[in-house]
Amino acid sequence: MFINILKSKIHRVKVTEANLNYVGSITIDEDLLDAANMIENEKVLIVNNNNGERFETYIIKGERGSGKICLNGAAARRVQVGDILIIISFAMMEFEEAKKFKPFVVFPDDNNKLVS
């Protein structure tokens, strides 16, 4: 039996941009992607702590070290610059493997930079 479990989470990042005139997705600083074990084009669940919105999109790799968190396309209507988000990805695993799996959880600072 396969189950979906938490694979990765970037906890409490700040929206730096919202670009309605784009096809869609979320642009995330490559440093944050690496730390959270996420990749470009991966499906993610976005949780907006400011307004309660929850929606899915996919990742676009942003400039490394930029701290960029940009919602693109229709998703830009669900956020405001400065909103605090949780970005979550899931993985399907065999039940026994899932019991042993430890998710990657990243807690960036107020500037969306990795904390040492």
Side-chain angles (χ1 to χ4, degrees), residues 2 33 45 51 53 68 70 74 81 90 96 103-104 109-110:
F2 283 91
L33 292 179
L45 172 67
N51 63 19
E53 288 276 0
K68 185 174 188 173
C70 179
V81 171
F90 299 89
E96 290 303 317
F104 294 81
D109 68 14
D110 292 340

Side-chain angles (χ1 to χ4, degrees), residues 35-50:
N37 197 34
M38 293 177 174
I39 61 171
E40 190 163 40
N41 298 313
E42 184 172 358
K43 179 180 174 180
V44 288
L45 172 67
I46 308 297
V47 179
N48 186 330
N49 284 1
N50 292 76

Side-chain angles (χ1 to χ4, degrees), residues 65-110:
S66 66
K68 185 174 188 173
I69 300 292
C70 179
L71 278 299
N72 303 298
R77 293 196 182 275
R78 296 188 162 188
V79 301
Q80 298 290 320
V81 171
D83 281 358
I84 301 298
L85 308 180
I86 301 170
I87 303 168
I88 305 166
S89 70
F90 299 89
M92 289 190 75
M93 294 184 190
E94 286 281 357
F95 187 75
E96 290 303 317
E97 178 187 8
K99 284 197 233 177
K100 299 172 190 160
F101 182 77
K102 299 291 183 223
F104 294 81
V105 180
V106 176
F107 299 92
D109 68 14
D110 292 340

